[in-house]
Amino acid sequence: MKAQVLVHEELIHAPKFQNDQIRILNVKLAPGDTTQYHIHHTPSIFIYFTGTAVVSQLQGGIPITSTSTACNTFYKNLSAPHLRIHRVWNIDQNPLLVMDIEILSQNEVTIQKQLRNPGLQVVVDTADARVYRLSLSEKNKLN
């Protein structure tokens, strides 16, 4: 078994942006491809862009098959002691596309009151982050 790497050093998790607050990783797992065992070690928000059949295996665990759901967005506190060491392989005919937003700042942040707008839906609301889904009606579309 290969040694595990930090998630942002794993070849399929491509860093696209980083500052002192967050790191954004673009994950594109082609059909039939497999990640290295990698360590998720920070609180993270995951946004799935595809519905793709994959197998995930925790290090030393049993492989588990699942299908991602496009537009699924969720938060996981993966800082110690909740680290996750796993690998994923794509058993689908389509690529798996995911954005992994790692929350790097350990500074206490005061999250403001929730925004109120008919087109906004809160999908994540934690002490670390709040994520909204924006739905536009046909008459309010972006140009």
Side-chain angles (χ1 to χ4, degrees):
M1 181 182 312
K2 289 185 177 181
Q4 64 271 6
V5 297
L6 295 174
V7 66
H8 63 276
E9 296 172 351
E10 201 281 327
L11 300 175
I12 291 172
H13 293 72
K16 293 298 180 184
F17 174 82
Q18 181 173 338
N19 63 22
D20 61 336
Q21 302 285 314
I22 64 169
R23 177 175 28 239
I24 298 175
L25 306 174
N26 183 43
V27 182
K28 183 175 182 182
L29 186 59
D33 209 352
T34 305
T35 69
Q36 297 172 281
Y37 276 103
H38 56 278
I39 304 168
H40 290 272
H41 63 288
T42 61
S44 297
I45 296 167
F46 297 91
I47 304 170
Y48 283 80
F49 295 98
T50 57
T52 308
V54 297
V55 178
S56 180
Q57 182 180 25
L58 292 174
Q59 191 171 40
I62 299 168
I64 297 172
T65 301
S66 64
T67 300
S68 64
T69 302
C71 297
N72 187 23
T73 302
F74 61 93
Y75 167 87
K76 285 269 189 194
N77 180 0
L78 297 170
S79 58
H82 309 288
L83 303 176
R84 173 170 292 180
I85 303 172
H86 75 147
R87 66 179 176 168
V88 178
W89 58 97
N90 185 341
I91 59 173
D92 207 299
Q93 299 299 311
N94 300 305
L96 173 68
L97 303 174
V98 181
M99 183 183 299
D100 177 355
I101 304 168
E102 295 184 296
I103 302 170
L104 304 176
S105 175
Q106 299 302 311
N107 299 333
E108 190 166 316
V109 177
T110 302
I111 296 182
Q112 302 298 317
K113 287 181 14 180
Q114 285 188 9
L115 298 174
R116 299 287 181 204
N117 185 292
L120 289 178
Q121 174 191 6
V122 176
V123 293
V124 172
D125 195 4
T126 71
D128 293 325
R130 180 176 298 132
V131 177
Y132 297 89
R133 178 172 292 122
L134 174 63
S135 300
L136 297 174
S137 67
E138 187 60 32
K139 69 178 187 173
N140 293 326
K141 64 183 177 181
L142 295 174
N143 293 323

